[in-house]
Amino acid sequence: MRLLHRNRGRRALTALVATAVAAPVLIAATPADAHSGNDRQHRKAERLARQLERESSAKGAYRHLKAFQGIADANGGNRAAGTPGHEASSAYVYKLLKQAGYRVSYQDFTIWDAKTTTEKLSVLSPDPRELKVTAGRLSPSTPAAGIQAQIAVAKVSDKPGCTPDDYTSDTFTGKIALIKRGVCSYAEKQAAAAKAGAIGAIIYNHSGTAPARPRFDKPADGKIPTAGISLADGEALTAAAKKGPVKLSLTIQQQHIPKTTRNVIAETRGGDANHVVSLGSHLDSVPEGPGINDNGSGSAGLLEVALKLARHTQHPTNKVRFAWWSGEELGLLGSDFYVKQLTPEQRKKIALYLNFDMIASPNAAELVYDGDDSDHTGSGPGPKGSAEIEKLITDYLDRKHKPHEGTDFDGRSDYGPFIEAGIPAGGTFTGAEGIKTAAQAEKFGGKAGVAYDPNYHAKGDNLKNIDLKYFDTNIDVIAHAVGIYAHDLSSLG
């Protein structure tokens, strides 16, 4: 899961045989016939859902986690987009799906790597000192000698540094803009500062002790040299600027290197192509670790259910399409590329999108995306149909006596581009770097005051640090949703 602005041991897969189902003869239906037909579809969906739930398990999916761990171990400790580790992970998923009978394809696209050789920020006056700084990923470089200029502080509004109004309280021409992180993207903040005349941007964090880590999706997004500092340093510079001029020196030297990476897309051979049930998980890790929870867990869970579905049918009522995205950790690049290359007609054919990112966190909470915004937290509701997706998942968890609560559509994972395109979405999540509350510890178990995943984006995100119980629960959620939606979309309204 991306930050907001998220083989050895491989076993051979026994080939699976897809069962073709003859298409029924269509006849005109009376209202009673239609009602009876709907009942038959619903029973068919429930039967497939029960079969998939029974056969799909954490035990079965664990072999895929072992494969991902082995791939990372053999490739520098990670499976990051554009690396041999991700390429091997993609090949592993592709091979199993092809053997199972799916129509499988790679979707290649370009990503950019950033190699920073210099990142330095100094206060020149009135109180000279060095500050800990992180160069923005894919930031423009400064001249070799850096840029020296006074700071101008962007207004801290409800959308800090996001709108032109935030740059009217000071003269920004020829200065370095100081901006608080939050709400809009890093790219939007520095672009607004550049439009106001700034020659550089320093974005300070909105929480914690670490520097903000600005990132752009591609080099063209960077308008001015941009770097990140901590909340404490940002607030100290803001306070100093209220007393008089503050002059900084910022030096960023960075190389931008294009690479090719790929999504893996698999769909059933049959099913109504005008009604596509789409599901996805990102397959890439961060460079710092193997990414077994983030997001080997979602990738393995999706693969487990896809392989079990192939045992029963390649000809469901509705076409089922599975995707393993790349470049999520770089800014949802794979899912964004996929959605943007769809024609308007193709978008309309996608009935819904289900996302599974981090479903085995070691200090887990069972979180369901809040499609109807009933929690009134953060972003608003998803597109029409998202509320019904949430209900299908929560009703299932209730029947299984599994506690759960909502989580906001905050744009941190691959549902984001689908929501922007107006496609209803949903899914589950067991938490990232957020801190578990005492109430959540009472409800879900685990430790209060500790991150849902203490190994988030770190080397420790490995096979030893996952929760198999929550992994199993969320695989059941995937299985149930696939079984129902493969044959019956009537609950979407």
Side-chain angles (χ1 to χ4, degrees):
M1 174 166 282
R2 71 187 277 259
L3 284 168
L4 187 60
H5 321 111
R6 233 144 110 326
N7 164 9
R8 296 185 186 129
R10 187 183 302 180
R11 297 182 182 176
L13 177 74
T14 302
L16 303 176
V17 180
T19 303
V21 179
V25 177
L26 299 178
I27 60 174
T30 65
D33 290 333
H35 181 72
S36 176
N38 289 340
D39 287 344
R40 283 196 298 271
Q41 283 300 104
H42 184 69
R43 289 195 297 271
K44 193 175 182 180
E46 290 284 358
R47 184 164 58 250
L48 179 58
R50 287 193 298 270
Q51 289 170 329
L52 294 180
E53 292 162 41
R54 194 162 50 241
E55 296 175 15
S56 305
S57 67
K59 183 178 180 181
Y62 189 76
R63 65 192 174 110
H64 306 310
L65 294 184
K66 287 178 67 177
F68 294 148
Q69 181 72 62
I71 288 170
D73 292 344
N75 291 281
N78 70 77
R79 301 179 301 103
T83 69
H86 180 265
E87 185 176 347
S89 298
S90 299
Y92 173 81
V93 171
Y94 183 102
K95 180 180 179 181
L96 295 185
L97 293 164
K98 195 74 172 177
Q99 289 175 336
Y102 285 96
R103 286 196 177 99
V104 194
S105 61
Y106 287 128
Q107 185 182 50
D108 291 352
F109 60 99
T110 300
I111 60 172
W112 291 86
D113 195 12
K115 183 179 180 182
T116 301
T117 55
T118 305
E119 50 185 6
K120 185 177 180 181
L121 180 65
S122 304
V123 179
L124 299 179
S125 65
D127 179 22
R129 63 192 186 279
E130 298 287 325
L131 296 178
K132 186 176 181 180
V133 67
T134 300
R137 185 181 179 280
L138 302 180
S139 167
S141 293
T142 64
I147 54 175
Q148 293 77 41
Q150 290 182 15
I151 62 171
V153 181
K155 184 168 62 176
V156 180
S157 63
D158 57 347
K159 296 182 179 180
C162 299
T163 66
D165 289 345
D166 294 328
Y167 297 89
T168 58
S169 60
D170 201 345
T171 300
F172 284 80
T173 302
K175 295 182 181 179
I176 297 173
L178 181 65
I179 313 164
K180 189 172 184 177
R181 179 187 173 193
V183 184
C184 65
S185 70
Y186 293 118
E188 290 172 294
K189 290 177 187 291
Q190 58 87 43
K195 191 171 183 179
I199 59 172
I202 303 295
I203 300 174
Y204 64 96
N205 221 335
H206 53 27
S207 62
T209 58
R213 294 183 176 276
R215 59 172 61 194
F216 306 137
D217 292 347
K218 53 187 180 296
D221 291 341
K223 307 304 179 186
I224 50 179
T226 302
I229 60 174
S230 69
L231 172 62
D233 284 340
E235 290 180 338
L237 289 176
T238 300
K242 291 179 179 179
K243 299 177 181 178
V246 176
K247 190 173 184 181
L248 302 180
S249 176
L250 172 65
T251 307
I252 296 173
Q253 293 291 294
Q254 194 174 88
Q255 299 173 3
H256 301 156
I257 306 160
K259 292 184 176 182
T260 298
T261 190
R262 53 185 28 168
N263 297 325
V264 182
I265 312 292
E267 65 180 26
T268 52
R269 293 185 175 275
D272 186 353
N274 291 313
H275 298 93
V276 178
V277 176
S278 185
L279 304 94
S281 297
H282 76 87
L283 190 55
D284 60 312
S285 74
V286 293
E288 290 78 10
I292 298 305
N293 184 38
D294 184 16
N295 181 37
S297 62
S299 295
L302 209 62
L303 184 56
E304 165 79 351
V305 174
L307 297 178
K308 294 301 188 293
L309 175 65
R311 287 185 176 180
H312 293 281
T313 182
Q314 277 286 342
H315 295 266
T317 304
N318 307 303
K319 187 172 287 295
V320 181
R321 184 178 299 153
F322 298 95
W324 286 263
W325 310 116
S326 184
E328 191 269 359
E329 298 292 3
L330 302 177
L332 315 182
L333 300 187
S335 55
D336 187 62
F337 179 83
Y338 173 82
V339 171
K340 284 182 177 175
Q341 57 82 41
L342 295 172
T343 65
E345 293 75 19
Q346 288 171 329
R347 292 185 188 187
K348 289 178 183 177
K349 292 177 181 180
I350 299 177
L352 74 156
Y353 173 74
L354 300 178
N355 193 73
F356 299 94
D357 186 356
M358 301 182 68
I359 59 171
S361 302
N363 192 34
E366 186 63 38
L367 306 174
V368 182
Y369 289 116
D370 185 15
D372 61 1
D373 195 32
S374 56
D375 294 343
H376 306 294
T377 299
S379 304
K384 187 178 185 301
S386 301
E388 288 76 13
I389 294 171
E390 180 189 8
K391 186 175 188 305
L392 182 132
I393 294 173
T394 56
D395 284 355
Y396 173 77
L397 290 170
D398 288 341
R399 289 196 301 273
K400 297 295 180 178
H401 307 290
K402 303 288 186 180
H404 57 82
E405 61 186 51
T407 187
D408 184 42
F409 273 138
D410 59 12
R412 289 187 57 168
S413 194
D414 290 300
Y415 56 79
F418 288 86
I419 288 176
E420 289 178 11
I423 297 168
T428 58
F429 169 49
T430 54
E433 82 280 23
I435 304 300
K436 178 175 279 188
T437 66
Q440 288 176 323
E442 179 72 20
K443 180 188 291 187
F444 302 114
K447 296 181 180 179
V450 176
Y452 303 111
D453 188 348
N455 305 292
Y456 176 66
H457 283 188
K459 185 178 181 180
D461 184 7
N462 56 36
L463 271 180
K464 297 178 181 178
N465 293 310
I466 57 171
D467 188 306
L468 290 174
K469 182 183 75 171
Y470 278 92
F471 190 36
D472 194 64
T473 294
N474 286 286
I475 289 172
D476 284 345
V477 169
I478 299 171
H480 178 74
V482 168
I484 295 297
Y485 290 134
H487 287 306
D488 185 6
L489 294 171
S490 63
S491 64
L492 292 180

Coordinates of all heavy atoms in Angstrom, one line a residue, residues 1 12 25 38-39 59 65 69 147 149 166 190 196 230 242 244 254 258 266 305 308 336 343 348 378 387 404 481:
M1 N 0.9 -1.2 0.0 CA 0.0 0.0 0.0 C 0.9 1.2 0.0 O 1.8 1.3 0.8 CB -0.9 0.0 1.2 CG -1.7 1.3 1.4 SD -3.0 1.1 2.5 CE -4.3 0.3 1.6
A12 N 5.2 -26.8 -8.2 CA 4.6 -26.9 -9.5 C 3.1 -27.0 -9.2 O 2.6 -27.6 -8.3 CB 5.1 -28.2 -10.2
V25 N -30.7 -21.4 -24.4 CA -31.6 -20.8 -25.5 C -32.4 -19.6 -24.8 O -33.0 -19.8 -23.8 CB -32.5 -21.8 -26.1 CG1 -33.4 -21.1 -27.1 CG2 -31.7 -22.9 -26.7
N38 N -34.5 -14.9 -11.8 CA -33.6 -14.3 -10.8 C -33.3 -15.1 -9.6 O -32.2 -15.2 -9.1 CB -34.3 -13.0 -10.4 CG -34.3 -11.9 -11.4 OD1 -33.5 -12.0 -12.4 ND2 -35.2 -10.9 -11.3
D39 N -34.4 -15.9 -9.2 CA -34.2 -16.8 -8.1 C -33.2 -17.9 -8.4 O -32.3 -18.2 -7.6 CB -35.5 -17.5 -7.7 CG -36.4 -16.5 -7.0 OD1 -35.9 -15.4 -6.5 OD2 -37.6 -16.8 -6.9
K59 N -4.3 -21.6 4.2 CA -3.3 -22.7 4.0 C -3.0 -22.8 2.5 O -1.8 -23.0 2.1 CB -3.9 -24.0 4.5 CG -2.9 -25.1 4.4 CD -3.5 -26.4 5.0 CE -2.6 -27.6 4.9 NZ -3.2 -28.8 5.5
L65 N 2.6 -17.1 -0.9 CA 3.4 -16.2 0.0 C 4.8 -16.7 0.1 O 5.8 -16.0 0.0 CB 2.8 -16.1 1.4 CG 1.4 -15.4 1.5 CD1 1.0 -15.2 3.0 CD2 1.5 -14.0 0.9
Q69 N 8.2 -14.8 -1.1 CA 9.3 -14.6 -0.2 C 10.6 -15.2 -0.8 O 11.6 -14.6 -0.8 CB 9.1 -15.4 1.2 CG 10.2 -15.2 2.2 CD 10.3 -13.8 2.8 OE1 9.4 -13.4 3.4 NE2 11.4 -13.2 2.6
I147 N 20.1 26.3 -4.7 CA 19.4 27.6 -4.8 C 19.4 28.2 -3.4 O 19.2 27.5 -2.4 CB 18.0 27.5 -5.3 CG1 17.2 26.4 -4.6 CG2 18.1 27.1 -6.8 CD1 15.7 26.3 -5.0
A149 N 17.6 31.2 -1.2 CA 16.5 32.2 -1.3 C 15.8 32.3 0.0 O 15.9 31.3 0.9 CB 15.5 31.8 -2.4
D166 N -3.9 30.1 -1.1 CA -2.9 29.8 -0.1 C -1.6 30.5 -0.4 O -0.6 30.4 0.5 CB -2.7 28.3 0.0 CG -3.9 27.5 0.5 OD1 -4.7 28.1 1.3 OD2 -4.1 26.4 0.1
Q190 N 3.4 21.7 -5.2 CA 4.6 22.4 -5.8 C 4.2 23.1 -7.1 O 4.8 24.1 -7.5 CB 5.7 21.4 -6.0 CG 5.5 20.2 -6.8 CD 5.7 20.4 -8.3 OE1 6.7 21.0 -8.7 NE2 4.8 19.9 -9.1
A196 N 2.8 30.5 -8.5 CA 2.8 31.8 -7.7 C 4.2 32.4 -7.8 O 4.4 33.5 -7.2 CB 2.5 31.5 -6.2
S230 N 10.6 17.5 8.4 CA 9.7 17.0 9.5 C 8.7 18.1 9.9 O 8.9 19.3 9.6 CB 10.5 16.6 10.7 OG 11.1 17.8 11.3
K242 N 7.8 34.4 10.9 CA 6.9 35.5 11.4 C 7.7 36.6 12.0 O 7.2 37.7 12.2 CB 6.0 34.8 12.4 CG 4.9 33.9 11.8 CD 4.0 33.3 12.8 CE 3.0 32.4 12.2 NZ 2.1 31.8 13.2
G244 N 10.9 37.5 11.0 CA 11.8 38.2 10.0 C 12.2 37.3 8.9 O 11.8 36.1 8.9
Q254 N 19.7 14.8 -8.9 CA 18.9 13.5 -9.1 C 18.9 13.1 -10.5 O 18.7 13.9 -11.4 CB 17.5 13.7 -8.5 CG 16.8 12.4 -8.3 CD 15.4 12.7 -7.6 OE1 14.4 12.9 -8.3 NE2 15.4 12.6 -6.3
P258 N 14.2 5.8 -16.9 CA 13.0 5.1 -17.3 C 13.1 3.5 -17.2 O 14.2 3.0 -17.5 CB 12.7 5.5 -18.7 CG 14.1 5.9 -19.2 CD 14.9 6.4 -18.0
A266 N -6.0 -11.3 -16.0 CA -6.5 -12.6 -16.3 C -8.0 -12.5 -16.3 O -8.6 -12.0 -15.3 CB -6.0 -13.7 -15.4
V305 N -8.2 -17.7 -4.9 CA -9.6 -17.8 -5.3 C -9.7 -17.9 -6.8 O -10.6 -18.7 -7.3 CB -10.3 -16.5 -4.8 CG1 -11.8 -16.5 -5.3 CG2 -10.3 -16.5 -3.3
K308 N -9.2 -21.5 -7.7 CA -10.3 -22.3 -7.3 C -11.5 -22.1 -8.2 O -12.3 -23.0 -8.5 CB -10.7 -22.0 -5.8 CG -9.6 -22.4 -4.8 CD -9.3 -23.9 -4.9 CE -8.4 -24.4 -3.8 NZ -7.0 -23.8 -3.9
D336 N -3.8 3.0 -12.5 CA -4.2 4.3 -13.1 C -4.0 4.1 -14.7 O -4.8 4.6 -15.5 CB -3.3 5.4 -12.6 CG -3.7 6.7 -13.1 OD1 -4.8 7.2 -12.9 OD2 -2.9 7.4 -13.8
T343 N -11.6 2.6 -23.0 CA -12.5 3.6 -23.7 C -13.7 3.8 -22.8 O -14.0 3.0 -21.9 CB -13.0 3.0 -25.0 OG1 -13.8 1.8 -24.8 CG2 -11.8 2.6 -25.9
K348 N -17.8 1.4 -19.0 CA -19.2 1.2 -18.6 C -19.5 -0.3 -18.4 O -20.4 -0.7 -17.7 CB -20.1 1.7 -19.7 CG -20.2 3.3 -19.8 CD -21.1 3.7 -20.9 CE -21.1 5.3 -21.0 NZ -21.9 5.7 -22.2
G378 N -13.4 11.5 6.5 CA -12.5 11.7 5.3 C -13.3 11.9 4.1 O -14.2 12.8 4.0
A387 N -22.0 1.4 -1.9 CA -22.7 1.1 -0.7 C -23.2 -0.4 -0.7 O -23.1 -1.0 0.4 CB -23.9 2.1 -0.5
H404 N -16.1 -6.2 12.5 CA -15.5 -5.4 11.5 C -15.9 -3.9 11.7 O -16.8 -3.6 12.5 CB -16.1 -5.8 10.1 CG -17.6 -5.8 10.0 ND1 -18.3 -4.6 9.8 CD2 -18.5 -6.8 10.2 CE1 -19.6 -4.9 9.8 NE2 -19.7 -6.2 10.1
A481 N -17.5 -13.0 -2.5 CA -17.8 -11.9 -3.4 C -17.7 -12.4 -4.9 O -18.5 -12.1 -5.7 CB -16.9 -10.7 -3.2

